[in-house]
Structures are given as C-alpha cells and as structure tokens.
Amino acid sequence: MTLLEVQDLRTWFAKEEGEVRAVDGVSFHVGEGEAVGLVGESGCGKTVTALSIAGLVPDPPGHIHGSSSIRLRGTELVGLPERRLRRFRGKEVAMVFQDPMSSLNPVRTVGSQISEVVRLHGRLGAREAKRRTVQLLREVEIPDPDTRYREYPHQLSGGMRQRVMIAMALSCEPSLLVADEPTTALDVTIQAQLLELLSGLRRERKMGLLLITHDLAVVAELCDRVVVMYAGKVVETGRVKDVFSQPAHPYTRGLLGSLPRIGSGRRRLAPIVGGVPDPAGWPSGCRFHPRCPHAWGRCSAELPSLRRRGGRAHGEEWTVRCWLEEEPLEPTPDVGKGP
Amino acid sequence: MIGYVLRRVGGAVPLVLGVATIVFFVMNLAPGDPSSLYAGPGVSPQALEEVRQNMGLDAPVHVRYIRWMGAMAQGDFGHSLARGQPVRDVIRDLLPNTLLLSGTALALAFLAGILIGVLQAVRHNTWIDSSLSGASLFFYSIPSFWLALMLILVFSLYARNVWGWPVHFPASGMTSVDHAWMTPWEQVKDRAMHLVLPATSLALVLAGGIARYTRTSMLEVIHQDYIRTARAKGLPEWRVIAGHALRNALIPVVTVFGLYLPLLFSGTVFVETVFAWPGMGKLVVDAIGQRDYPVVMAGALVFAVMVVVGNLIADVLYSVVDPRIRHG
C-alpha cells in the first residue's frame, strides 16, 4: 500500500483580494520508506502542501476542498474531525520546519518539548519519557544529552536546535516525515551534516520522507523521486535520475539551468525570466507560459494535463504537464542540459 | 539570582531616600503648619510660639530635614498628632489591612484580566471578542471610586433593601459590629464578605487594562512558529494555548504588573475612603485633613516603598517567566 497518496489537493485561502489558490489540484504519492523531493520556487505552494498533509492549514482563512484526498496508509485525512486528526499528527506524520530559531518554544526546556510528544502519543510515564528523550537526543548526535535536556532553545546553536526538532519529529517513530526546507536557515557545513543525519535515520527506520526544498542538489543526494511544483500545480514528477538528467518540462529545465556547476567552464547561468505570478490570479492555460521560452498559442489558452511520458524505458512514473510533450517542437533548444 | 535581587535592593535605597526628601520638602515648604490647628482657635501669639517650639517647628527647614531623616534612619517615624500614637504603631496596625485589600484586588485583577484576554485572543474577531473588548474598555475608562459607589448602590443597598436578594455585601468597614462574638469560621466569612466590594471595585479597573494587554500579546504569540510546532505534535488546542502560548504571552503582561502598582495604590486611597476600610489609604486621606504631617509623610513613603518593592517583584517575575533573561 502506498504510504501517502495525495490526490487533487486544493487548498485555497479566502483573502481580501479574492480567492488565493495556493495549492490547486496537486497529486503525488510517497511510497513506504521512500524519499520524495518536492521542489519549486518560493511561493509555488510547497509549504501549503506540507501543512495540508499535516492538517495544519489555518482555517479560516485556508480551506482544503472537499474533493481533495490525502490518504495515509489508506486512511482519508481530509474531512477527518480534529480530534482524530490529532492522533496522526506527531505520531504518524511528523514535521520538521524551516527555521529552528523560531520553531522551538523559547520558555520551555528542549527536553520537556520532546518528552511532551513521547508522553502524548506513547503514553509513557515521566521517567520513561525522559529516558526516551535523552536517548533520542543521543540518536540525533547531540553531545552531552543529559545536560542538553535541561537547556533552553536559546542556549543551543541553530544546527543543534534543528537536531532537537528532528529528535522531536522522530520521537514516535512516524511513518512519514515531512521536512519543510529543514536546512535552508543553516550554514552550509551544518546543512551537510544534518542531511546526512536525516537520511541515515530515515534509512534505519524505513521511514517515508517528503522533503520540501528549493535546493535541487539536496534532492539529487537524498531522494528517490522528485515532484516539481509551479504555481500551485505539479508540472513534472519522476525518478530523480530521469528528471534531473533529461528534464522534460521547460520549468524543470529552467530550474536546473539556473544552477552553477563545477567543471562546466565559464558557462553563463540561465535564470528563468520573471518571477512566480501572484497566486491571487494565476495565468490562463499553462501557468508557466508567460515565462516559458517555448510557449506557443495553445499554451496560453488551455491547461495541459499531467501525462505519462510514453514509449520510453524510464520507469512508469515519469509524468509531465506540458503541451510540448504532446506536440514536440522540432529542435530542442540547448537550455540547461542535465548532468 | 540572589545576587541580582540584592543589587536591585541596593539600587532602590537612593530612590527611597529621594522620595523621602521630596515628600519632606513638599510638606514643609507648603504654607501653614499644624501648630495653629493643635493650639486651638484664638490663642495668643506667645502660646502659639510655644506650641511651635514644642513641636520642633521653629527650627529652620534644613535642620528639621536632617532631624527627620535621622529619626527615620532609626526607624522613628515620629508621633501622630491626631492619634497621639507613634506613627510606626499606626502603620503597623493599618498596613496589613491595605496589603490584604490590594493583594486580593491584584490577584483578582490578574486572574480575570488574563482569562478574559486569552479567551478574546482564542475567539479572535467573534462577538465574544468584541463584547469583552467593550467591557474591558468600559472598566478601564471609569475611576475606581465611582465604580465603588455604584457597587455599593447595587450590591449592598438595592440588593438588600429594594430587591431583597439573598446575598448582599456590607458597604463599609472590614468587619461587622458583632465580629467579636462570631465563631472563627464565621469571622473568616465575615471578613471575606467585607472584602468583596472594595476588592472588586479596585480589580475591575485593573482587569480591563490587563485583558487588553493579554489579548494583544496572545494574538501575537499564537502566530509564532513554535505554536505551529506544538500543533504539529498533535496536542489538543487547549494544551497548545495553556502549555505553549500562555507563558510566552505573559512576558509583556509582567511589565503591566510593575506599571499598575501605582495605579492600584492610588486606587486604594479612594476605595478605602469610600468603604471606610481601615488601611493606609484612608489613613493618609484623614491625616491630610487633620494636617497630621508625620503621618502624611510616613504614609507617602510607605506607598513609595511598596511601589519600589512591587517593581522589584516584577523584575524577578520576568526572569521566572523568561529563561532568556535568567541566563542572559
């Protein structure tokens, strides 16, 4: 059975300027023990997708459409009463957030914040919970865990705090970890350590991972599959090695093309022109068409559907949302060839 | 921590000395003195001069200042002219009554204010929020002595004489006339009943402001990332609020504690007078009418010291609530 199955997720926000369709029909899945990267520029709906999965979208103003479906091991989470949803949160679906500086409660010790989860879902006594918490701190490689247990977040460095967040997330052996830009706020050396820790712990526990990031290198390193989002929709999904070596969607190509690469000489970076459009009014047709170097008449008129890339040997799960897939142009311009 | 408190107490000493100096000169440079009042009407200038000499009022003001400060340093607050008692004994008898009243009022005010503020923040932008906002603003805007009179009117006078409610509250004093003949349990109840109206009239005014502070602070905290983290743990909403949001929201409210003490004590001056509550506030008001200078000066000083001590408590509370200050 698939661990997480998201189908036609629509999370809209009622704002003064109208309905903001932050996530607008997103479908993807995460298998048991699989690591999936969710990538895209800021403002394309990645975080809202993550919050929707954990049932943490503030309602109002946010609202997940009734037609959406989020299944965790077959249990439908959309429309589940808050009380039952709470049993999944922290236990089955755990989250690690972007900014470890602000994600921990400043007035409580890190130990109490972790053991709280252990006691809530594991129904452990105070002493048991403490023992388990110290053990978790050790597992995330925090030195001197007995002392750290009694310390407050401000006494820890950013990297340490994120380790605490990871310990908290892992405390109840969740089947799915949703990590929303877990290393963006940290400096590069710490990033590498944390990612290594995260992928090690994940493999040990055979835990599913949804890694939200705009760092494609991280996805290449850690993930089995990748989901590329643009403007509230999925534009391309597939195995990391397929998508990154032969990106099919012009947006994926653009993302890869904007990366600097060692050994590629003095190649100019090819940024994607323009910015992510305002979610209060997505462009018509293919939402990427105003920025797409290959856009043609049909692109602005009709929204292409997510199609399987047929007739090729690259797995069964490579899908792309682009008119070029249906009516390929003759010469493919040399924009950002993959590695 | 103990070192910090000691340093703060040390820092408060010059402050209290300064207050004492100001109180002394304000009283002694004002025209007139108590001698004529105590010599009685129509006495001869010689007799009046004798009274002034007896009271030590003939000495130049700076000499009197040094004498007074010297006596104060030895714990001698002088003699009450109106009561014929050492001021120290008067304060010893009445200060506990004021502390009982203001302590009860403060506890009530913070309890009610914080509860209302949290409720408003949790039910942000609903009719509950707006009606409680209106009520807070109302009580925040009215003076406590007027509220005291209205409470007497409704819960003491009308409740007993007009509507005949089974429960009504005494309108004045700390105890009933037959207090001495009651059983110990009845005495406690009697005192509690007498405390209700004065404490409420003081507390409501403060609670309005505290609720407004708490609401604002709570609304800010609720949108913090760590609250989202708490929700992501699967905690029930009330535990998110009580266990994670409240303590953070209370940090700014501690400031209000320090700010409101002068308001509270000036409130006791009026409320004690209205309810004939035998405390420091009523003592000072009476003493001003009687030109009982030693009592007025000592009373003002006692209030100043209470504010200083209250602020000290607020600073200690800060570090209790916020570990970042404790380790900073």
Side-chain angles (χ1 to χ4, degrees), chain A residues 51 56 86 89-90 97 102-108 113 116-117 120-121 152 154-155 165 168, chain B residues 225-226 228-229 231-237 239 243-244 247-248 251 321-324 326-327:
Chain A
L51 292 177
L56 289 174
R86 278 205 303 266
R89 257 186 234 148
F97 296 104
S102 59
S103 295
L104 287 167
N105 191 332
V107 303
R108 292 183 51 172
Q113 296 188 53
E116 181 178 45
V117 199
L120 181 73
H121 296 295
Y152 290 90
H154 71 273
Q155 292 168 295
M165 286 297 291
M168 195 187 285
Chain B
D225 286 350
Y226 53 82
R228 190 178 57 186
T229 307
R231 292 204 176 105
K233 288 175 179 178
L235 289 170
E237 188 63 18
R239 282 187 64 180
H244 287 270
R247 213 168 133 192
N248 283 286
I251 295 170
V321 178
D322 192 347
R324 283 164 296 187
R326 215 177 312 156
H327 302 101

Side-chain angles (χ1 to χ4, degrees), chain A residues 114 118 129-146 148 160 162-174 193-194 196-207:
Chain A
I114 300 173
V118 179
K130 180 173 180 185
R131 209 185 49 74
R132 172 98 180 99
T133 303
V134 172
Q135 181 201 330
L136 281 162
L137 289 174
R138 196 169 288 125
E139 277 181 64
V140 293
E141 292 162 18
I142 287 180
D144 199 4
D146 287 292
R148 294 300 189 189
M160 284 295 161
Q162 198 61 303
R163 282 170 195 268
V164 169
M165 286 297 291
I166 292 173
M168 195 187 285
L170 298 181
S171 61
C172 291
E173 308 274 335
Q193 290 172 15
L194 266 176
E196 199 170 311
L197 175 77
L198 202 58
S199 77
L201 290 167
R202 185 185 75 77
R203 239 169 271 139
E204 268 169 39
R205 290 155 193 252
K206 299 186 175 56
M207 178 175 67

Side-chain angles (χ1 to χ4, degrees), chain A residues 13-20 278-281:
Chain A
F13 292 84
K15 291 269 169 73
E16 279 165 32
E17 61 266 32
E19 207 154 37
V20 175
D278 181 5

Side-chain angles (χ1 to χ4, degrees), chain B residues 17-96:
Chain B
L17 285 181
V19 171
T21 305
I22 292 170
V23 165
F24 177 85
F25 283 105
V26 165
M27 291 304 292
N28 282 277
L29 293 179
D33 64 43
S35 59
S36 55
L37 216 63
Y38 290 92
V43 292
S44 65
Q46 290 91 334
L48 192 63
E49 195 49 42
E50 217 166 293
V51 171
R52 297 193 67 203
Q53 272 172 23
N54 283 341
M55 295 172 82
L57 292 169
D58 58 330
V61 71
H62 61 272
V63 175
R64 276 185 281 149
Y65 172 66
I66 291 166
R67 274 189 205 152
W68 185 66
M69 289 296 260
M72 295 275 292
Q74 295 163 35
D76 177 10
F77 290 79
H79 229 73
S80 166
L81 304 174
R83 293 169 180 251
Q85 254 182 308
V87 176
R88 197 172 39 182
D89 294 356
V90 177
I91 292 175
R92 190 196 56 209
D93 291 344
L94 300 185
L95 185 59

Side-chain angles (χ1 to χ4, degrees), chain B residues 40-189:
Chain B
V43 292
S44 65
Q46 290 91 334
L48 192 63
E49 195 49 42
E50 217 166 293
V51 171
R52 297 193 67 203
Q53 272 172 23
N54 283 341
M55 295 172 82
L57 292 169
D58 58 330
V61 71
H62 61 272
V63 175
R64 276 185 281 149
Y65 172 66
I66 291 166
R67 274 189 205 152
W68 185 66
M69 289 296 260
M72 295 275 292
Q74 295 163 35
D76 177 10
F77 290 79
H79 229 73
S80 166
L81 304 174
R83 293 169 180 251
Q85 254 182 308
V87 176
R88 197 172 39 182
D89 294 356
V90 177
I91 292 175
R92 190 196 56 209
D93 291 344
L94 300 185
L95 185 59
N97 299 345
T98 292
L99 290 180
L100 174 70
L101 174 59
S102 49
T104 309
L106 204 60
L108 274 179
F110 273 89
L111 203 70
I114 290 170
L115 275 176
I116 292 169
V118 168
L119 184 64
Q120 282 185 274
V122 171
R123 295 272 174 270
H124 179 47
N125 280 345
T126 60
W127 65 269
I128 298 176
D129 180 22
S130 36
S131 49
L132 285 174
S133 267
S136 301
L137 192 61
F138 174 75
F139 286 115
Y140 185 61
S141 318
I142 59 176
S144 51
F145 62 85
W146 182 81
L147 185 62
L149 291 170
M150 292 304 117
L151 287 178
I152 290 176
L153 200 65
V154 173
F155 292 101
S156 187
L157 196 68
Y158 286 1
R160 190 180 58 214
N161 297 352
V162 181
W163 302 319
W165 287 358
V167 180
H168 48 83
F169 298 97
S172 76
M174 272 186 78
T175 51
S176 305
V177 274
D178 53 349
H179 187 76
W181 290 275
M182 292 175 173
T183 63
W185 167 241
E186 282 174 337
Q187 287 188 336
V188 170
K189 216 181 122 191

Side-chain angles (χ1 to χ4, degrees), chain A residues 7-12 19-27 44-45 48-49 52 65 67-68 229-234 279 281-283 285 287 303 321:
Chain A
Q7 243 163 31
D8 198 28
L9 176 65
R10 289 170 202 271
T11 309
W12 295 1
E19 207 154 37
V20 175
R21 306 182 171 191
V23 173
D24 197 15
V26 163
S27 304
C44 66
V48 175
T49 304
S52 304
H65 260 233
S67 60
S68 314
M229 270 186 82
Y230 183 78
K233 285 199 176 291
V234 174
W282 297 125
R287 289 173 182 179
L303 180 72
R321 186 192 293 280

